[in-house]
């Protein structure tokens, strides 16, 4: 994979899909900025793993829903490396309940957790990348943002919103040399999905034509493509990585 930039910020990268994105992008030669919110130990462990392979990384703690903290983190990265080449808005939360039992606070917190963080990241990246006249942003949405899911009206609304927002950013970024794309993962093996019962997981596998759960690396390889120069004519696109679960 060929990259014309040199660094990438990945939100929520201390574990799960974000950590695998960090591993894959570091292997492709980028310096990865590992963002975490609450688990410093995991983030430092990931950095040590990358260090041991001679790969470049740094750790940057902040809450991605906090505008001031996000802005400060990007400022720090630009001061350190001279630019922000790429951004992956990966941080995300769930708070599942059937709609009839969902309080407005349950709805609001997931919208804020997933949409606000993505908005702040895209806007701030656009500011910095416009000056550079180059850059690429990938937002991690979800299959449920495309097709809905019972128990997830809040999460699906936030993830569907990310898809539309990314397209709007893509229009505004195109004239400034900055691309914005979305990935919609299907059912990926992480802590977020470990919470589900074996029975539920098996029912998902049954519904997946490729007959397996996805791995973080499946998503990471898609991210690498969309950030890289191999996708230089692709913007505003939605890349489904779901084993054929939703085509
Ligand atoms: P995960 O294992 O729960 O990890 C989520 C990460 O995001 C955690 O490190 C978490 O940090 C971080 N995070 C959440 N809110 C944050 C914030 N405000 N600021 C900074 N970091 C924050 O989840 P995952 O399964 O890897 O999911 C990663 C992304 O893929 C999410 O956007 C998710 O919606 C999406 N996705 C996942 C699946 C799946 O099957 N796993 C499917 C479709 C889409 P803390 O631990 O500190 O809170």
């Amino acid at each position: 994979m060929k990259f014309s930039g040199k660094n990438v910020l990945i939100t929520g990268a201390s574990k799960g899909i974000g950590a695998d994105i960090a591993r894959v992008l570091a292997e492709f030669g980028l310096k990865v900025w590992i963002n975490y919110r609450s688990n410093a130990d995991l983030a430092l462990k990931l950095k040590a793993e990358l260090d041991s392979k001679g790969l470049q990384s740094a750790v940057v703690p902040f809450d991605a829903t906090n505008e001031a903290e996000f802005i400060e983190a990007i400022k720090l990265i630009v001061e350190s490396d001279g630019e922000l080449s790429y951004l992956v808005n990966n941080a995300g939360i769930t708070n599942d309940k059937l709609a009839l039992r969902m309080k407005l606070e349950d709805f609001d917190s997931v919208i804020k957790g997933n949409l606000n963080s993505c908005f702040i990241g895209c806007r701030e990246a656009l500011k910095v990348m416009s000056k550079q006249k180059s850059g690429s942003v990938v937002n991690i949405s979800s299959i449920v943002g495309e097709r809905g899911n019972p128990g997830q009206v809040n999460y699906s609304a936030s993830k569907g919103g990310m898809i539309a927002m990314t397209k709007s950013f893509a229009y505004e970024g195109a004239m400034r040399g900055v691309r914005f794309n979305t990935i919609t993962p299907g059912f990926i093996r992480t802590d977020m999905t470990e919470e589900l019962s074996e029975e539920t997981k098996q029912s998902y596998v049954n519904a997946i034509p490729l007959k397996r759960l996805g791995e973080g690396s499946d998503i990471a390889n898609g991210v690498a493509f969309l950030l890289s120069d191999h996708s230089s004519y692709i913007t505003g696109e939605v890349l489904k990585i779901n084993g054929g679960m939703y085509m």
Side-chain angles (χ1 to χ4, degrees), residues 12-18 35-39 62-65 90-93 140-143 155 159 185-188 190-193:
S14 58
K15 63 176 183 163
I17 294 172
N35 160 247
Y36 73 90
R37 176 175 56 172
S38 59
N39 202 326
F62 64 92
D63 177 343
T65 63
N90 166 77
I93 55 167
I140 307 298
S141 171
S142 168
I143 186 173
Y155 184 73
K159 293 297 183 176
F187 193 97
I188 311 300
T190 67
D191 286 356
M192 194 178 266
T193 47

Side-chain angles (χ1 to χ4, degrees), residues 96-115:
D96 299 350
K97 286 179 181 74
L98 290 175
L100 290 175
R101 294 192 194 132
M102 191 175 286
K103 298 198 173 89
L104 184 58
E105 301 91 89
D106 302 323
F107 183 81
D108 247 7
S109 62
V110 174
I111 295 291
K112 188 172 174 226
N114 296 343
L115 262 186

